[in-house]
């Protein structure tokens, strides 16, 4: 068995795929209103985006009764401030709660949390 991809639910698969394409620089290899896929050039696991019209974004950090994230993506960067600026320009928001100095928790356009972090964190 080999892991092929992580799949994120979203009401807009093409839009979320283009957001992550901007962050990661991976090519878009499939693009339909219901399903989109990004794959890295090295053939490693990619990201896929599945249409979910009733997607409810998780809350970060979650409190009692809040929708909780099932996973999050960690993205290593060389310059944290520059990476946050690119993410925000592409459509992310910076989460209000930041648990660590060398990490920035952001929310993608569908509300999925992801972390930008410096090497060594």
């Amino acid at each position: 068995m080999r892991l092929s991809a992580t799949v994120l639910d979203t009401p807009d698969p093409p839009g979320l795929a283009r957001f992550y394409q901007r962050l990661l620089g991976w090519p878009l290899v499939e693009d339909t209103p219901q399903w989109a896929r990004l794959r890295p050039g090295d053939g490693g696991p990619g990201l896929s985006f599945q249409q979910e019209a009733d997607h409810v974004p998780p809350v970060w950090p979650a409190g009692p009764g809040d929708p909780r994230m099932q996973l999050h993506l960690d993205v290593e960067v060389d310059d944290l401030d520059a990476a946050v600026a690119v993410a925000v320009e592409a459509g992310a928001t910076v989460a209000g709660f930041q648990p660590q100095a060398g990490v920035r928790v952001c929310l993608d356009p569908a509300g999925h949390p992801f972390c930008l972090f410096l090497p060594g964190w």
Side-chain angles (χ1 to χ4, degrees):
M1 290 186 216
R2 182 173 70 89
L3 179 66
S4 172
T6 297
V7 180
L8 298 175
D9 289 348
T10 176
D12 179 16
L16 195 57
R18 283 177 178 75
F19 169 80
Y20 281 102
Q21 183 181 37
R22 174 79 191 270
L23 261 58
L24 302 172
W26 294 352
L28 186 62
V29 298
E30 188 172 353
D31 186 14
T32 73
Q34 296 81 28
W35 183 261
R37 295 186 308 137
L38 297 176
R39 292 295 180 266
D42 68 3
L47 287 174
S48 297
F49 309 90
Q50 159 178 291
Q51 185 179 40
E52 176 54 65
D54 296 325
H55 170 69
V56 176
V59 175
W60 170 257
D66 288 337
R68 297 181 180 276
M69 68 176 164
Q70 298 293 310
L71 63 87
H72 71 274
L73 303 175
D74 284 343
V75 180
E76 185 175 329
V77 301
D78 294 324
D79 182 326
L80 194 54
D81 292 335
V84 169
V86 168
V88 168
E89 181 181 317
T93 56
V94 178
F97 176 69
Q98 298 295 324
Q100 298 159 313
V103 177
R104 287 297 170 275
V105 179
C106 296
L107 307 173
D108 72 20
H112 300 286
F114 66 96
C115 294
L116 301 172
F117 70 96
L118 294 170
W121 279 91

